[in-house]
Amino acid sequence: MGKPIIETFSLGKKYMIRNTQQDLKRKKRERSWVKSAISARYEDKWAIRDVSFKIEQGDIVAVTGGNGSGKTTLFRLLGEITDPSEGAILLRGSVSCMLEAGVGFHLELSGRENIYLNGTLLGMTRPEIDLKFDEIVAFSEVESYLDVPVKKYSSGMYVRLAFAVASFLRTDILLVDEVLSVGDKSFRKKSIERMKQMADEGCTILMVSHDTNILKSVCKSAIHIERGRFIEQGSLDNIMMGSRSEETH
């Protein structure tokens, strides 16, 4: 077995969060007047911290955890949208993201233009994009709207084109966060089959979804995080059973 395609090492992301008025009054009482008032207004908030794991090439992995557990922050770090505050990420391949419907699209550009823009950002040449263009359009089912700015697309059209672009243009790692819940049942089924095909071709996929049926139909393994901390990595069935037992206690 080769080296993992994704490795994280004590990964952490910190944000500065504005204190509530009540917290601000309390902190002002506690602090010396010499200290900056700005430091009283803000405090550190760790969205994730000390997260370490490895993902093998071709795996389809569910990332599970409750609301606010840090799943989207983790995906933003893996997708190189934001930088870690501590720790490190090692990616042995290119990354394509679907963190929100159409992330990476330019709203003023047409569907056609966004296909070429995304391909270029992934390091593809125009002839390479040309070869995939018809497959992307056929899968997305938005042929009649290709030359319309994507800001005028419905949410369903947006998702179909975003997924088609992310899944047919060349990428080694695909991050999918909740967006398939927007599409209709037939599109979700088609997307699931496409992801399985991508994995067979060597693409590594990480997924977040509140729809456990989608996760079960695609993922065999999972990573579980809670309150920004790595909890465990293993089979999806075992992790889901562990999560349910935690909820009953």
Side-chain angles (χ1 to χ4, degrees), residues 31-235:
R31 291 172 183 269
S32 164
W33 287 106
V34 177
K35 292 186 177 180
S36 169
I38 295 176
S39 65
R41 293 175 189 160
Y42 295 89
E43 63 181 353
D44 293 343
K45 173 68 174 178
W46 288 92
I48 63 170
R49 198 168 196 187
D50 197 27
V51 174
S52 301
F53 59 81
K54 299 178 181 180
I55 303 292
E56 302 296 333
Q57 183 178 2
D59 284 354
I60 308 181
V61 182
V63 179
T64 66
N67 290 333
S69 60
K71 300 186 298 294
T72 297
T73 297
L74 175 61
F75 272 29
R76 287 183 174 276
L77 290 167
L78 294 175
E80 300 179 312
I81 294 169
T82 187
D83 295 323
S85 303
E86 65 179 19
I89 303 169
L90 180 56
L91 302 172
R92 294 185 173 93
S94 58
V95 182
S96 186
C97 305
M98 287 189 68
L99 307 190
E100 298 159 6
V103 149
F105 279 3
H106 191 298
L107 295 179
E108 300 295 333
L109 298 180
S110 68
R112 183 187 305 274
E113 290 167 328
N114 271 294
I115 291 172
Y116 282 94
L117 172 63
N118 275 259
T120 301
L121 292 174
L122 286 170
M124 299 178 69
T125 64
R126 189 177 182 90
E128 287 176 323
I129 301 169
D130 287 339
L131 287 174
K132 296 291 184 179
F133 187 85
D134 289 344
E135 288 181 279
I136 291 169
V137 174
F139 191 95
S140 67
E141 302 172 5
V142 297
E143 185 172 7
S144 300
Y145 302 91
L146 267 182
D147 295 306
V148 174
V150 295
K151 68 180 181 180
K152 296 184 179 181
Y153 283 17
S154 68
S155 59
M157 292 164 58
Y158 214 88
V159 166
R160 290 200 301 274
L161 183 60
F163 184 85
V165 168
S167 63
F168 280 95
L169 294 183
R170 183 184 63 208
T171 188
D172 300 305
I173 303 164
L174 177 64
L175 309 175
V176 184
D177 186 355
E178 288 295 353
V179 290
L180 294 184
S181 61
V182 179
D184 57 35
K185 184 180 291 187
S186 62
F187 177 75
R188 286 198 298 272
K189 182 178 179 181
K190 184 165 67 169
S191 299
I192 287 168
E193 292 306 313
R194 174 60 188 151
M195 284 190 285
K196 290 178 180 177
Q197 180 184 355
M198 292 173 69
D200 289 341
E201 295 169 354
C203 182
T204 304
I205 302 171
L206 274 68
M207 291 187 66
V208 168
S209 178
H210 284 103
D211 189 333
T212 57
N213 290 326
I214 290 179
L215 295 181
K216 287 179 178 178
S217 63
V218 162
C219 307
K220 291 184 179 179
S221 60
I223 291 169
H224 187 61
I225 59 176
E226 284 295 348
R227 298 179 184 177
R229 299 278 183 167
F230 174 83
I231 304 298
E232 62 178 323
Q233 182 173 4
S235 74

